[in-house]
Amino acid sequence: MRAAKLVEVQKIEVVEMEKPEIKKDNEVLVQVKAVGICGTDLHIFHDGRADVTLPRIMGHELSGLVKEVGKNVTNVKVGDRVVLDPVFACNTCDICKSGHPNVCSDVKCYGVQMDGGYCDYIVVEDYHLYPFDPSITYEQAALAEPFSIGVNIVNRTMTSESDAVVVIGSGTIGLCILQAAKGVGAKVLVSDVVDEKLAKAKEMGADVIVNSAKENLAEAVEKFSPGGASVVIDAVGIAPLTEQAVDLTCPTGRVAVIGFDAKPAQIPPVKITKKELTLVGSRMNCHQFPKVVEWLNEGKINADLMISRTYPVEEIQKAFEDTIANGKDIVKTLITF
Ligand SMILES: [Zn+2]
Ligand SMILES: [Zn+2]
């Protein structure tokens, strides 16, 4: 089979490898069909990452076709089209047992700290796979993983139809959060500093878009939801925006943090106390795939608007280079097999 390996920083080679085989009774052989390029993949490709050893087969946003199942597999069958939940945890610690594998101290993301899906076939344990309707294309289904991040944030912030949500950042994840928040009926303001990205948000149903380089965001939020937004999500993930998010909330508001910025944010405790704010983190997703697949099947979330470009696996090097060079215009690049 073909496998695309990051052999050194900025260099992916498509090589021939032995096709993997089912070894355990709960394992499934999946023929990979479409895999998204994530911001994480771009970062690893461009700069490398301390916890990623090379060579590495990246790819964690994938869909495929079930070709073979172990004898104890019951949730999927041969011929099913499936998406993969890339959260790989120990499953034995107290956190995993309490139902939160995505924050297990030993958690790995498929295709990041372990080999992933930029290859013709993968073998994984059955509980990572979720079947989707044949009316959904493999390309659309490959968006399930980024959507699961948006749905997880909506869940963590307890966002509902009565909420006024501010999403800071109109990149891929910001747009997934937007769609998830619209999916539960909230009204949503999206801010960014790039007009092209904001146009995408408008297309996907944002009630208000704000270019914070040209307009005062605090004033725009006050107009959107007098007294402040009930939910503010920093979808960029840097400390100064976390600080700003706290200021944009109304009393009892919720602030979601999804970034991995190690620099401290300067948030005076009084700001949290006075408004009784809730600060929540959100990491990958926690059992959100059934909801995402349901929403994809129902057409409640629109994957087509997210897909900017598609490349065959042979052109994966070019796909990465083009996506980095055209960051402003590209929401999601897919690799197909
Ligand atoms: Zn991703
Ligand atoms: Zn664990």
Side-chain angles (χ1 to χ4, degrees):
M1 69 163 189
R2 296 164 300 175
K5 281 188 176 175
L6 181 68
V7 289
E8 58 188 77
V9 165
Q10 296 177 28
K11 189 172 173 200
I12 302 179
E13 278 177 3
V14 180
V15 297
E16 272 302 314
M17 260 182 77
E18 209 155 313
K19 186 175 160 184
E21 280 173 12
I22 289 177
K23 292 198 179 77
K24 289 192 238 161
D25 291 339
N26 71 332
E27 285 183 334
V28 180
L29 175 73
V30 177
Q31 183 180 10
V32 175
K33 294 289 190 179
V35 192
I37 298 181
C38 179
T40 304
D41 300 325
L42 291 172
H43 173 74
I44 296 167
F45 171 80
H46 195 263
D47 304 318
R49 206 171 103 168
D51 60 344
V52 179
T53 50
L54 304 186
R56 170 71 71 232
I57 302 171
M58 297 189 290
H60 60 269
E61 305 177 351
L62 75 91
S63 65
L65 174 67
V66 174
K67 296 298 272 186
E68 216 180 300
V69 295
K71 67 171 194 252
N72 291 344
V73 173
T74 54
N75 64 327
V76 296
K77 57 184 188 311
V78 172
D80 277 352
R81 297 159 169 245
V82 291
V83 287
L84 169 116
D85 185 337
V87 174
F88 280 64
C90 80
N91 295 327
T92 54
C93 72
D94 289 344
I95 295 295
C96 281
K97 283 185 189 155
S98 74
H100 300 275
N102 60 318
V103 286
C104 167
S105 60
D106 209 18
V107 71
K108 293 183 176 69
C109 180
Y110 197 69
V112 178
Q113 297 95 348
M114 61 192 286
D115 278 342
Y118 291 138
C119 54
D120 281 312
Y121 295 92
I122 58 168
V123 167
V124 291
E125 291 182 278
D126 53 359
Y127 65 89
H128 289 288
L129 300 172
Y130 295 85
F132 58 90
D133 281 359
S135 61
I136 307 299
T137 65
Y138 289 113
E139 285 80 3
Q140 291 166 333
L143 268 297
E145 196 277 336
F147 277 128
S148 76
I149 291 172
V151 172
N152 201 66
I153 291 162
V154 161
N155 186 55
R156 292 282 295 140
T157 52
M158 294 180 293
T159 297
S160 71
E161 59 191 2
S162 58
D163 282 310
V165 178
V166 169
V167 180
I168 304 174
S170 192
T172 312
I173 293 304
L175 295 172
C176 286
I177 298 166
L178 159 66
Q179 288 210 35
K182 292 306 295 179
V184 297
K187 65 171 185 170
V188 184
L189 176 152
V190 178
S191 81
D192 203 287
V193 293
V194 179
D195 285 329
E196 289 87 343
K197 291 186 168 186
L198 287 167
K200 283 274 173 198
K202 192 77 203 169
E203 215 183 330
M204 290 179 204
D207 298 280
V208 179
I209 51 170
V210 177
N211 186 326
S212 56
K214 298 175 186 169
E215 272 179 79
N216 182 307
L217 179 59
E219 283 171 23
V221 170
E222 182 60 29
K223 229 168 96 187
F224 167 68
S225 177
S230 51
V231 176
V232 182
I233 299 152
D234 165 19
V236 179
I238 55 169
L241 294 181
T242 306
E243 292 165 13
Q244 190 180 21
V246 167
D247 291 329
L248 298 174
T249 48
C250 68
T252 74
R254 286 90 73 200
V255 175
V257 180
I258 61 165
F260 285 82
D261 192 352
K263 292 186 207 81
Q266 306 282 332
I267 300 172
V270 62
K271 289 190 179 181
I272 298 169
T273 310
K274 270 194 167 175
K275 293 199 276 190
E276 285 200 340
L277 298 185
T278 303
L279 254 74
V280 297
S282 186
R283 184 174 188 189
M284 294 193 276
N285 89 93
C286 186
H287 306 301
Q288 299 298 337
F289 269 70
K291 167 116 288 174
V292 172
V293 169
E294 183 189 316
W295 282 9
L296 276 170
N297 289 342
E298 289 172 356
K300 211 169 183 179
I301 40 183
N302 188 322
D304 285 338
L305 288 174
M306 307 287 292
I307 301 168
S308 308
R309 294 181 185 199
T310 304
Y311 294 75
V313 66
E314 291 79 10
E315 293 175 25
I316 189 168
Q317 173 78 23
K318 182 170 162 38
F320 270 75
E321 288 169 357
D322 289 355
T323 304
I324 289 171
N326 301 286
K328 245 178 25 181
D329 304 312
I330 291 178
V331 181
K332 181 60 68 184
T333 301
L334 294 181
I335 303 300
T336 53
F337 289 81

